[in-house]
Amino acid sequence: MYSHNLAKPIVLADPDDVESYLQPLNLSQSDLGRILERGLSGRYSTTQNHPKTSRGQYFYGEGVSAARDILAPKGYKRLSLRNVELTVSDKVALYLCRGCDQTGLIHGSPESRMKKGDFTCELMGLIHNNNPGQGELILDDSQLKLDLELPEGDVIPLLPNKIGLDLWFLLYDFYELDGDERVGIRAELSRPMSYNSKNVVNDFSTRLILDVHQPDPIVQNGDVPQFTPDIDLDILKTG
């Protein structure tokens, strides 16, 4: 039997501490930052003629693709389960998810921005709890999974899930930089714990605050930021 105080999630923000925690997961802050940069490039590829929802869709699509491309040399691969898009190794599952405005804040209480379906919550083994940070998580010996080769002293209980892996959310949110529609990103890699009656993921047992530095996009003549320059093509007419 194991009990864990839900009122005391582990929160790491020092870059060195975060990097040490990521190493046993075969991840780095550089990896995760590059994934988010790729997502941001997808967001910036939209124009005012795209539907309003396109920016989020392009970010997500490019971000998921980037996770699979960037982490492939480390043994990660894609896994799709009824539209739940994961990037997995033999031990870890990553899930890209937009969070609320508390995301990436040391003293924040982040939640998923959008509700999750019943299938997703069940797949991820989340517990229903409308009062995050209160009560205890109690697992019996058959449910408890330990020894993930995490740093000494940070033995964390894992919720049993149908994926069979250590599940982490790459949680992100945007904030405005200026009037040119440029945005910055706050992000964290966090282990989900529970969801509420609205099916919003509302608590995380471990939160690794990421030190995300995005390159400044190229801005030409006040246009919408771009990550790549325009290419002029000479088209020869024949016939």
Side-chain angles (χ1 to χ4, degrees):
M1 187 71 67
Y2 186 95
S3 65
H4 178 67
N5 189 352
L6 297 180
K8 296 180 180 180
I10 292 176
V11 181
L12 299 180
D14 181 271
D16 292 336
D17 292 340
V18 171
E19 202 67 45
S20 295
Y21 206 105
L22 289 173
Q23 286 179 1
L25 306 178
N26 206 11
L27 296 171
S28 70
Q29 291 202 76
S30 175
D31 295 333
L32 301 176
R34 289 168 58 203
I35 292 168
L36 296 172
E37 286 173 15
R38 274 268 298 273
L40 197 59
S41 72
R43 177 185 172 94
Y44 282 138
S45 72
T46 63
T47 69
Q48 293 180 349
N49 290 328
H50 282 81
K52 290 184 178 179
T53 58
S54 292
R55 289 183 295 181
Q57 293 170 349
Y58 277 51
F59 182 99
Y60 176 77
E62 281 299 316
V64 171
S65 175
R68 294 165 175 177
D69 292 342
I70 291 168
L71 299 178
K74 295 186 173 184
Y76 281 79
K77 59 185 179 181
R78 66 179 179 271
L79 177 63
S80 300
L81 299 170
R82 284 178 53 179
N83 295 323
V84 178
E85 298 293 336
L86 302 165
T87 303
V88 303
S89 69
D90 59 345
K91 293 183 178 180
V92 177
L94 295 183
Y95 178 72
L96 184 65
C97 178
R98 185 169 180 183
C100 67
D101 60 5
Q102 296 289 299
T103 301
L105 302 178
I106 297 176
H107 300 293
S109 300
E111 298 181 343
S112 64
R113 184 179 178 88
M114 303 295 291
K115 68 179 183 179
K116 304 302 174 183
D118 292 339
F119 171 79
T120 301
C121 292
E122 183 179 355
L123 177 72
M124 295 181 173
L126 305 179
I127 58 175
H128 183 263
N129 184 9
N130 284 317
N131 300 295
Q134 299 182 21
E136 285 189 333
L137 168 68
I138 299 177
L139 300 175
D140 60 36
D141 293 339
S142 65
Q143 292 175 307
L144 194 59
K145 298 179 181 180
L146 296 175
D147 192 19
L148 292 176
E149 300 178 0
L150 297 177
E152 185 177 351
D154 286 334
V155 178
I156 313 298
L158 293 182
L159 294 182
N161 60 59
K162 293 187 176 180
I163 306 167
L165 299 169
D166 183 8
L167 175 65
W168 292 82
F169 276 31
L170 179 50
L171 205 63
Y172 66 92
D173 191 35
F174 305 116
Y175 60 92
E176 292 185 5
L177 291 176
D178 51 38
D180 292 322
E181 299 187 14
R182 295 199 309 159
V183 294
I185 299 178
R186 285 191 296 267
E188 58 185 80
L189 189 71
S190 296
R191 186 181 278 153
M193 197 75 163
S194 66
Y195 66 99
N196 59 25
S197 294
K198 296 180 180 180
N199 275 34
V200 168
V201 180
N202 64 347
D203 200 12
F204 300 85
S205 63
T206 306
R207 301 176 57 221
L208 310 179
I209 308 300
L210 301 177
D211 184 15
V212 181
H213 295 291
Q214 306 96 240
D216 291 333
I218 300 171
V219 181
Q220 297 178 347
N221 300 323
D223 292 336
V224 175
Q226 306 171 52
F227 274 112
T228 57
D230 293 334
I231 300 175
D232 294 324
L233 299 176
D234 292 328
I235 301 176
L236 299 179
K237 295 182 179 180
T238 61

